[in-house]
Amino acid sequence: KRVEPNEGDSIVVQRRCLRVRHDLPKGHTLTSADIEALRPAPHEAYEPWELDQVIGRRLSQDLVFGDALSPENTQT
């Protein structure tokens, strides 16, 4: 499916992204137990199909319950 121009604003609300299940400290290595797919999805956030790429990454900053995971707050 392709996003039509009139759907542009609703993408954030309709899509899911990977978010943390609980507070996590900087330097924590992510596991599947730390992550869940929830709405809304900011544009820069990892999408659910990217889960395998996110597991094993370390956090570059502290995150709190519900924060979206993105390249900005994770590192290999």
Side-chain angles (χ1 to χ4, degrees):
K1 179 178 181 330
R2 142 185 93 168
V3 177
E4 298 297 328
N6 65 334
E7 299 174 314
D9 293 337
S10 64
I11 291 173
V12 170
V13 176
Q14 295 174 354
R15 288 193 175 167
R16 295 176 188 268
C17 72
L18 298 178
R19 295 181 174 273
V20 295
R21 289 180 185 235
H22 41 264
D23 296 353
L24 297 171
K26 177 181 178 178
H28 177 81
T29 301
L30 293 167
T31 67
S32 59
D34 299 322
I35 303 168
E36 60 187 338
L38 296 172
R39 292 182 179 106
H43 293 289
E44 70 280 354
Y46 289 113
E47 296 189 40
W49 61 267
E50 297 176 289
L51 178 63
D52 289 341
Q53 298 170 29
V54 175
I55 292 174
R57 288 183 177 260
R58 289 184 339 170
L59 296 178
S60 58
Q61 62 189 52
D62 293 341
L63 295 180
V64 296
F65 168 76
D67 280 349
L69 293 166
S70 70
E72 189 176 288
N73 57 28
T74 61
Q75 58 190 5
T76 54

mmCIF file of all heavy atoms in Angstrom, residues 16-21 24 28-38 44-59 67-71 74-76:
data_model
loop_
_atom_site.group_PDB
_atom_site.id
_atom_site.type_symbol
_atom_site.label_atom_id
_atom_site.label_comp_id
_atom_site.label_asym_id
_atom_site.label_seq_id
_atom_site.Cartn_x
_atom_site.Cartn_y
_atom_site.Cartn_z
ATOM 1 N N ARG A 16 2.677 1.856 13.754
ATOM 2 C CA ARG A 16 3.319 1.457 15.008
ATOM 3 C C ARG A 16 4.826 1.657 14.887
ATOM 4 O O ARG A 16 5.376 1.646 13.794
ATOM 5 C CB ARG A 16 3.020 -0.003 15.321
ATOM 6 C CG ARG A 16 1.570 -0.277 15.587
ATOM 7 C CD ARG A 16 1.322 -1.756 15.797
ATOM 8 N NE ARG A 16 -0.089 -2.025 15.873
ATOM 9 C CZ ARG A 16 -0.782 -2.056 16.996
ATOM 10 N NH1 ARG A 16 -0.178 -1.854 18.139
ATOM 11 N NH2 ARG A 16 -2.071 -2.292 16.982
ATOM 12 N N CYS A 17 5.474 1.788 16.025
ATOM 13 C CA CYS A 17 6.930 1.850 16.061
ATOM 14 C C CYS A 17 7.404 1.044 17.261
ATOM 15 O O CYS A 17 6.612 0.621 18.095
ATOM 16 C CB CYS A 17 7.416 3.290 16.139
ATOM 17 S SG CYS A 17 7.141 4.079 17.734
ATOM 18 N N LEU A 18 8.699 0.845 17.335
ATOM 19 C CA LEU A 18 9.273 0.120 18.461
ATOM 20 C C LEU A 18 9.484 1.083 19.623
ATOM 21 O O LEU A 18 10.091 2.142 19.464
ATOM 22 C CB LEU A 18 10.591 -0.532 18.044
ATOM 23 C CG LEU A 18 10.461 -1.562 16.927
ATOM 24 C CD1 LEU A 18 11.834 -2.106 16.552
ATOM 25 C CD2 LEU A 18 9.527 -2.691 17.318
ATOM 26 N N ARG A 19 8.965 0.694 20.788
ATOM 27 C CA ARG A 19 9.059 1.517 22.001
ATOM 28 C C ARG A 19 9.567 0.657 23.153
ATOM 29 O O ARG A 19 9.423 -0.560 23.133
ATOM 30 C CB ARG A 19 7.692 2.098 22.368
ATOM 31 C CG ARG A 19 7.169 3.069 21.330
ATOM 32 C CD ARG A 19 5.824 3.641 21.727
ATOM 33 N NE ARG A 19 5.414 4.666 20.795
ATOM 34 C CZ ARG A 19 5.738 5.952 20.886
ATOM 35 N NH1 ARG A 19 6.475 6.373 21.895
ATOM 36 N NH2 ARG A 19 5.335 6.817 19.998
ATOM 37 N N VAL A 20 10.137 1.296 24.165
ATOM 38 C CA VAL A 20 10.655 0.542 25.316
ATOM 39 C C VAL A 20 9.520 0.222 26.287
ATOM 40 O O VAL A 20 8.619 1.021 26.499
ATOM 41 C CB VAL A 20 11.813 1.283 26.026
ATOM 42 C CG1 VAL A 20 13.010 1.395 25.102
ATOM 43 C CG2 VAL A 20 11.414 2.642 26.524
ATOM 44 N N ARG A 21 9.591 -0.975 26.871
ATOM 45 C CA ARG A 21 8.559 -1.458 27.801
ATOM 46 C C ARG A 21 8.741 -0.933 29.219
ATOM 47 O O ARG A 21 7.830 -1.007 30.033
ATOM 48 C CB ARG A 21 8.584 -2.983 27.870
ATOM 49 C CG ARG A 21 8.099 -3.653 26.649
ATOM 50 C CD ARG A 21 8.179 -5.162 26.847
ATOM 51 N NE ARG A 21 7.823 -5.836 25.623
ATOM 52 C CZ ARG A 21 6.882 -6.747 25.537
ATOM 53 N NH1 ARG A 21 6.217 -7.131 26.608
ATOM 54 N NH2 ARG A 21 6.610 -7.314 24.395
ATOM 55 N N LEU A 24 14.985 2.429 30.905
ATOM 56 C CA LEU A 24 16.270 1.781 30.604
ATOM 57 C C LEU A 24 17.390 2.814 30.664
ATOM 58 O O LEU A 24 17.228 3.936 30.180
ATOM 59 C CB LEU A 24 16.245 1.144 29.211
ATOM 60 C CG LEU A 24 15.235 0.012 29.006
ATOM 61 C CD1 LEU A 24 15.167 -0.375 27.536
ATOM 62 C CD2 LEU A 24 15.605 -1.176 29.858
ATOM 63 N N HIS A 28 22.510 0.413 28.066
ATOM 64 C CA HIS A 28 21.797 -0.872 28.131
ATOM 65 C C HIS A 28 21.751 -1.510 26.741
ATOM 66 O O HIS A 28 21.506 -0.835 25.749
ATOM 67 C CB HIS A 28 20.376 -0.641 28.648
ATOM 68 C CG HIS A 28 19.542 -1.878 28.696
ATOM 69 N ND1 HIS A 28 19.630 -2.787 29.731
ATOM 70 C CD2 HIS A 28 18.629 -2.369 27.829
ATOM 71 C CE1 HIS A 28 18.781 -3.777 29.499
ATOM 72 N NE2 HIS A 28 18.164 -3.547 28.350
ATOM 73 N N THR A 29 21.989 -2.816 26.665
ATOM 74 C CA THR A 29 21.883 -3.550 25.410
ATOM 75 C C THR A 29 20.457 -4.077 25.288
ATOM 76 O O THR A 29 19.968 -4.784 26.167
ATOM 77 C CB THR A 29 22.895 -4.712 25.367
ATOM 78 O OG1 THR A 29 24.219 -4.170 25.507
ATOM 79 C CG2 THR A 29 22.799 -5.470 24.058
ATOM 80 N N LEU A 30 19.802 -3.726 24.205
ATOM 81 C CA LEU A 30 18.395 -4.057 24.009
ATOM 82 C C LEU A 30 18.167 -5.537 23.730
ATOM 83 O O LEU A 30 18.908 -6.157 22.972
ATOM 84 C CB LEU A 30 17.816 -3.235 22.862
ATOM 85 C CG LEU A 30 17.726 -1.737 23.117
ATOM 86 C CD1 LEU A 30 17.454 -0.985 21.826
ATOM 87 C CD2 LEU A 30 16.648 -1.442 24.141
ATOM 88 N N THR A 31 17.117 -6.079 24.346
ATOM 89 C CA THR A 31 16.668 -7.445 24.094
ATOM 90 C C THR A 31 15.194 -7.375 23.678
ATOM 91 O O THR A 31 14.550 -6.336 23.828
ATOM 92 C CB THR A 31 16.782 -8.331 25.350
ATOM 93 O OG1 THR A 31 15.838 -7.864 26.326
ATOM 94 C CG2 THR A 31 18.188 -8.307 25.928
ATOM 95 N N SER A 32 14.654 -8.482 23.210
ATOM 96 C CA SER A 32 13.246 -8.494 22.802
ATOM 97 C C SER A 32 12.327 -8.209 23.992
ATOM 98 O O SER A 32 11.232 -7.680 23.809
ATOM 99 C CB SER A 32 12.888 -9.813 22.133
ATOM 100 O OG SER A 32 13.117 -10.888 23.017
ATOM 101 N N ALA A 33 12.758 -8.541 25.195
ATOM 102 C CA ALA A 33 11.946 -8.289 26.391
ATOM 103 C C ALA A 33 11.824 -6.797 26.710
ATOM 104 O O ALA A 33 10.936 -6.400 27.459
ATOM 105 C CB ALA A 33 12.533 -9.021 27.591
ATOM 106 N N ASP A 34 12.687 -5.970 26.127
ATOM 107 C CA ASP A 34 12.683 -4.531 26.384
ATOM 108 C C ASP A 34 11.793 -3.754 25.425
ATOM 109 O O ASP A 34 11.564 -2.565 25.621
ATOM 110 C CB ASP A 34 14.098 -3.955 26.238
ATOM 111 C CG ASP A 34 15.094 -4.551 27.203
ATOM 112 O OD1 ASP A 34 14.711 -4.812 28.355
ATOM 113 O OD2 ASP A 34 16.256 -4.751 26.786
ATOM 114 N N ILE A 35 11.305 -4.403 24.368
ATOM 115 C CA ILE A 35 10.712 -3.688 23.235
ATOM 116 C C ILE A 35 9.286 -4.164 22.946
ATOM 117 O O ILE A 35 8.988 -5.353 23.036
ATOM 118 C CB ILE A 35 11.578 -3.911 21.980
ATOM 119 C CG1 ILE A 35 13.018 -3.459 22.238
ATOM 120 C CG2 ILE A 35 10.995 -3.183 20.777
ATOM 121 C CD1 ILE A 35 13.996 -3.890 21.179
ATOM 122 N N GLU A 36 8.428 -3.213 22.559
ATOM 123 C CA GLU A 36 7.095 -3.550 22.075
ATOM 124 C C GLU A 36 6.726 -2.590 20.940
ATOM 125 O O GLU A 36 7.308 -1.513 20.820
ATOM 126 C CB GLU A 36 6.058 -3.488 23.193
ATOM 127 C CG GLU A 36 5.905 -2.146 23.851
ATOM 128 C CD GLU A 36 4.989 -2.203 25.068
ATOM 129 O OE1 GLU A 36 4.181 -3.131 25.166
ATOM 130 O OE2 GLU A 36 5.096 -1.320 25.913
ATOM 131 N N ALA A 37 5.796 -2.995 20.100
ATOM 132 C CA ALA A 37 5.356 -2.171 18.970
ATOM 133 C C ALA A 37 4.035 -1.499 19.329
ATOM 134 O O ALA A 37 3.037 -2.163 19.585
ATOM 135 C CB ALA A 37 5.195 -3.033 17.728
ATOM 136 N N LEU A 38 4.057 -0.157 19.371
ATOM 137 C CA LEU A 38 2.878 0.614 19.756
ATOM 138 C C LEU A 38 2.712 1.838 18.867
ATOM 139 O O LEU A 38 3.659 2.283 18.218
ATOM 140 C CB LEU A 38 3.003 1.086 21.213
ATOM 141 C CG LEU A 38 3.042 0.020 22.291
ATOM 142 C CD1 LEU A 38 3.365 0.653 23.627
ATOM 143 C CD2 LEU A 38 1.711 -0.702 22.354
ATOM 144 N N GLU A 44 11.036 9.293 12.570
ATOM 145 C CA GLU A 44 12.399 8.765 12.698
ATOM 146 C C GLU A 44 12.472 7.444 13.462
ATOM 147 O O GLU A 44 13.527 6.821 13.541
ATOM 148 C CB GLU A 44 13.302 9.803 13.373
ATOM 149 C CG GLU A 44 13.014 10.037 14.839
ATOM 150 C CD GLU A 44 11.834 10.953 15.142
ATOM 151 O OE1 GLU A 44 11.248 11.532 14.208
ATOM 152 O OE2 GLU A 44 11.484 11.076 16.328
ATOM 153 N N ALA A 45 11.379 6.985 14.023
ATOM 154 C CA ALA A 45 11.380 5.779 14.863
ATOM 155 C C ALA A 45 11.522 4.499 14.046
ATOM 156 O O ALA A 45 11.123 4.435 12.881
ATOM 157 C CB ALA A 45 10.097 5.721 15.674
ATOM 158 N N TYR A 46 12.099 3.464 14.688
ATOM 159 C CA TYR A 46 12.189 2.154 14.051
ATOM 160 C C TYR A 46 10.796 1.560 13.917
ATOM 161 O O TYR A 46 9.975 1.665 14.817
ATOM 162 C CB TYR A 46 13.045 1.195 14.890
ATOM 163 C CG TYR A 46 14.509 1.501 14.890
ATOM 164 C CD1 TYR A 46 15.138 1.929 16.047
ATOM 165 C CD2 TYR A 46 15.276 1.344 13.747
ATOM 166 C CE1 TYR A 46 16.502 2.202 16.064
ATOM 167 C CE2 TYR A 46 16.635 1.619 13.745
ATOM 168 C CZ TYR A 46 17.243 2.043 14.901
ATOM 169 O OH TYR A 46 18.580 2.310 14.918
ATOM 170 N N GLU A 47 10.564 0.897 12.794
ATOM 171 C CA GLU A 47 9.287 0.235 12.559
ATOM 172 C C GLU A 47 9.354 -1.204 13.066
ATOM 173 O O GLU A 47 10.441 -1.763 13.216
ATOM 174 C CB GLU A 47 8.956 0.274 11.077
ATOM 175 C CG GLU A 47 8.757 1.713 10.595
ATOM 176 C CD GLU A 47 8.225 1.779 9.186
ATOM 177 O OE1 GLU A 47 7.365 0.969 8.827
ATOM 178 O OE2 GLU A 47 8.686 2.661 8.446
ATOM 179 N N PRO A 48 8.194 -1.832 13.334
ATOM 180 C CA PRO A 48 8.196 -3.193 13.886
ATOM 181 C C PRO A 48 8.992 -4.210 13.063
ATOM 182 O O PRO A 48 9.625 -5.089 13.628
ATOM 183 C CB PRO A 48 6.708 -3.555 13.921
ATOM 184 C CG PRO A 48 6.032 -2.243 14.108
ATOM 185 C CD PRO A 48 6.843 -1.276 13.285
ATOM 186 N N TRP A 49 8.995 -4.084 11.754
ATOM 187 C CA TRP A 49 9.735 -5.044 10.933
ATOM 188 C C TRP A 49 11.246 -4.911 11.105
ATOM 189 O O TRP A 49 12.002 -5.780 10.674
ATOM 190 C CB TRP A 49 9.324 -4.934 9.457
ATOM 191 C CG TRP A 49 9.580 -3.585 8.835
ATOM 192 C CD1 TRP A 49 8.707 -2.537 8.748
ATOM 193 C CD2 TRP A 49 10.785 -3.146 8.206
ATOM 194 N NE1 TRP A 49 9.296 -1.465 8.117
ATOM 195 C CE2 TRP A 49 10.584 -1.815 7.769
ATOM 196 C CE3 TRP A 49 12.020 -3.725 7.970
ATOM 197 C CZ2 TRP A 49 11.546 -1.078 7.116
ATOM 198 C CZ3 TRP A 49 12.987 -2.988 7.315
ATOM 199 C CH2 TRP A 49 12.746 -1.685 6.898
ATOM 200 N N GLU A 50 11.718 -3.881 11.780
ATOM 201 C CA GLU A 50 13.145 -3.675 12.015
ATOM 202 C C GLU A 50 13.604 -4.237 13.365
ATOM 203 O O GLU A 50 14.738 -4.008 13.774
ATOM 204 C CB GLU A 50 13.474 -2.185 11.942
ATOM 205 C CG GLU A 50 13.215 -1.577 10.571
ATOM 206 C CD GLU A 50 13.441 -0.090 10.541
ATOM 207 O OE1 GLU A 50 12.632 0.649 11.138
ATOM 208 O OE2 GLU A 50 14.444 0.335 9.914
ATOM 209 N N LEU A 51 12.754 -4.989 14.053
ATOM 210 C CA LEU A 51 13.065 -5.507 15.390
ATOM 211 C C LEU A 51 14.400 -6.246 15.423
ATOM 212 O O LEU A 51 15.216 -6.006 16.317
ATOM 213 C CB LEU A 51 11.948 -6.414 15.889
ATOM 214 C CG LEU A 51 12.167 -7.056 17.255
ATOM 215 C CD1 LEU A 51 12.266 -5.991 18.343
ATOM 216 C CD2 LEU A 51 11.061 -8.037 17.570
ATOM 217 N N ASP A 52 14.648 -7.130 14.472
ATOM 218 C CA ASP A 52 15.899 -7.895 14.473
ATOM 219 C C ASP A 52 17.128 -7.000 14.362
ATOM 220 O O ASP A 52 18.202 -7.344 14.861
ATOM 221 C CB ASP A 52 15.913 -8.912 13.331
ATOM 222 C CG ASP A 52 14.948 -10.061 13.571
ATOM 223 O OD1 ASP A 52 14.540 -10.268 14.736
ATOM 224 O OD2 ASP A 52 14.593 -10.749 12.596
ATOM 225 N N GLN A 53 16.977 -5.841 13.732
ATOM 226 C CA GLN A 53 18.096 -4.905 13.593
ATOM 227 C C GLN A 53 18.326 -4.105 14.876
ATOM 228 O O GLN A 53 19.419 -3.589 15.101
ATOM 229 C CB GLN A 53 17.828 -3.936 12.444
ATOM 230 C CG GLN A 53 17.692 -4.606 11.106
ATOM 231 C CD GLN A 53 17.189 -3.646 10.050
ATOM 232 O OE1 GLN A 53 17.437 -2.440 10.125
ATOM 233 N NE2 GLN A 53 16.475 -4.158 9.074
ATOM 234 N N VAL A 54 17.309 -4.006 15.713
ATOM 235 C CA VAL A 54 17.393 -3.203 16.937
ATOM 236 C C VAL A 54 17.908 -4.030 18.114
ATOM 237 O O VAL A 54 18.663 -3.524 18.949
ATOM 238 C CB VAL A 54 16.016 -2.580 17.250
ATOM 239 C CG1 VAL A 54 16.035 -1.851 18.568
ATOM 240 C CG2 VAL A 54 15.587 -1.654 16.126
ATOM 241 N N ILE A 55 17.541 -5.299 18.164
ATOM 242 C CA ILE A 55 18.001 -6.164 19.256
ATOM 243 C C ILE A 55 19.529 -6.236 19.218
ATOM 244 O O ILE A 55 20.128 -6.435 18.171
ATOM 245 C CB ILE A 55 17.380 -7.568 19.146
ATOM 246 C CG1 ILE A 55 15.883 -7.463 19.412
ATOM 247 C CG2 ILE A 55 18.036 -8.539 20.120
ATOM 248 C CD1 ILE A 55 15.120 -8.744 19.190
ATOM 249 N N GLY A 56 20.147 -6.030 20.371
ATOM 250 C CA GLY A 56 21.607 -6.045 20.467
ATOM 251 C C GLY A 56 22.235 -4.665 20.400
ATOM 252 O O GLY A 56 23.416 -4.512 20.707
ATOM 253 N N ARG A 57 21.461 -3.661 20.001
ATOM 254 C CA ARG A 57 21.992 -2.289 20.000
ATOM 255 C C ARG A 57 22.040 -1.775 21.431
ATOM 256 O O ARG A 57 21.287 -2.221 22.288
ATOM 257 C CB ARG A 57 21.118 -1.360 19.159
ATOM 258 C CG ARG A 57 21.251 -1.602 17.687
ATOM 259 C CD ARG A 57 20.406 -0.587 16.933
ATOM 260 N NE ARG A 57 20.557 -0.745 15.520
ATOM 261 C CZ ARG A 57 21.346 0.019 14.759
ATOM 262 N NH1 ARG A 57 22.023 1.011 15.292
ATOM 263 N NH2 ARG A 57 21.437 -0.203 13.471
ATOM 264 N N ARG A 58 22.930 -0.815 21.672
ATOM 265 C CA ARG A 58 23.028 -0.190 22.991
ATOM 266 C C ARG A 58 22.389 1.180 22.946
ATOM 267 O O ARG A 58 22.420 1.857 21.922
ATOM 268 C CB ARG A 58 24.484 -0.068 23.400
ATOM 269 C CG ARG A 58 25.111 -1.405 23.727
ATOM 270 C CD ARG A 58 26.517 -1.284 24.227
ATOM 271 N NE ARG A 58 27.097 -0.002 23.822
ATOM 272 C CZ ARG A 58 28.233 0.463 24.270
ATOM 273 N NH1 ARG A 58 28.931 -0.208 25.137
ATOM 274 N NH2 ARG A 58 28.696 1.620 23.863
ATOM 275 N N LEU A 59 21.847 1.589 24.084
ATOM 276 C CA LEU A 59 21.225 2.909 24.161
ATOM 277 C C LEU A 59 22.281 3.988 24.326
ATOM 278 O O LEU A 59 23.214 3.841 25.126
ATOM 279 C CB LEU A 59 20.254 2.960 25.339
ATOM 280 C CG LEU A 59 19.053 2.023 25.241
ATOM 281 C CD1 LEU A 59 18.196 2.152 26.493
ATOM 282 C CD2 LEU A 59 18.236 2.307 23.991
ATOM 283 N N ASP A 67 9.125 5.452 25.440
ATOM 284 C CA ASP A 67 9.915 6.217 24.465
ATOM 285 C C ASP A 67 10.101 5.403 23.192
ATOM 286 O O ASP A 67 10.313 4.187 23.227
ATOM 287 C CB ASP A 67 11.294 6.571 25.022
ATOM 288 C CG ASP A 67 11.284 7.764 25.946
ATOM 289 O OD1 ASP A 67 10.254 8.472 26.010
ATOM 290 O OD2 ASP A 67 12.308 7.995 26.617
ATOM 291 N N ALA A 68 10.037 6.079 22.054
ATOM 292 C CA ALA A 68 10.252 5.432 20.760
ATOM 293 C C ALA A 68 11.746 5.224 20.525
ATOM 294 O O ALA A 68 12.569 6.088 20.860
ATOM 295 C CB ALA A 68 9.667 6.293 19.642
ATOM 296 N N LEU A 69 12.089 4.078 19.954
ATOM 297 C CA LEU A 69 13.474 3.787 19.606
ATOM 298 C C LEU A 69 13.773 4.328 18.211
ATOM 299 O O LEU A 69 12.949 4.191 17.301
ATOM 300 C CB LEU A 69 13.729 2.287 19.647
ATOM 301 C CG LEU A 69 13.656 1.667 21.038
ATOM 302 C CD1 LEU A 69 13.577 0.155 20.947
ATOM 303 C CD2 LEU A 69 14.881 2.088 21.847
ATOM 304 N N SER A 70 14.943 4.922 18.054
ATOM 305 C CA SER A 70 15.339 5.499 16.776
ATOM 306 C C SER A 70 16.854 5.431 16.652
ATOM 307 O O SER A 70 17.566 5.179 17.639
ATOM 308 C CB SER A 70 14.876 6.948 16.679
ATOM 309 O OG SER A 70 15.610 7.754 17.569
ATOM 310 N N PRO A 71 17.385 5.679 15.459
ATOM 311 C CA PRO A 71 18.847 5.710 15.307
ATOM 312 C C PRO A 71 19.489 6.766 16.201
ATOM 313 O O PRO A 71 20.638 6.643 16.584
ATOM 314 C CB PRO A 71 19.040 6.053 13.824
ATOM 315 C CG PRO A 71 17.793 5.564 13.160
ATOM 316 C CD PRO A 71 16.704 5.804 14.171
ATOM 317 N N THR A 74 20.038 4.996 19.754
ATOM 318 C CA THR A 74 20.665 3.683 19.791
ATOM 319 C C THR A 74 21.976 3.700 19.021
ATOM 320 O O THR A 74 22.173 4.538 18.150
ATOM 321 C CB THR A 74 19.755 2.575 19.182
ATOM 322 O OG1 THR A 74 19.508 2.902 17.821
ATOM 323 C CG2 THR A 74 18.462 2.447 19.946
ATOM 324 N N GLN A 75 22.834 2.783 19.363
ATOM 325 C CA GLN A 75 24.110 2.640 18.638
ATOM 326 C C GLN A 75 24.455 1.160 18.552
ATOM 327 O O GLN A 75 23.963 0.363 19.334
ATOM 328 C CB GLN A 75 25.219 3.402 19.353
ATOM 329 C CG GLN A 75 25.445 2.979 20.789
ATOM 330 C CD GLN A 75 26.382 3.912 21.520
ATOM 331 O OE1 GLN A 75 26.803 4.917 21.003
ATOM 332 N NE2 GLN A 75 26.696 3.549 22.748
ATOM 333 N N THR A 76 25.278 0.787 17.583
ATOM 334 C CA THR A 76 25.633 -0.620 17.411
ATOM 335 C C THR A 76 26.679 -1.042 18.393
ATOM 336 O O THR A 76 27.324 -0.294 19.043
ATOM 337 C CB THR A 76 26.143 -0.886 15.985
ATOM 338 O OG1 THR A 76 27.209 0.005 15.697
ATOM 339 C CG2 THR A 76 25.025 -0.729 14.999
#
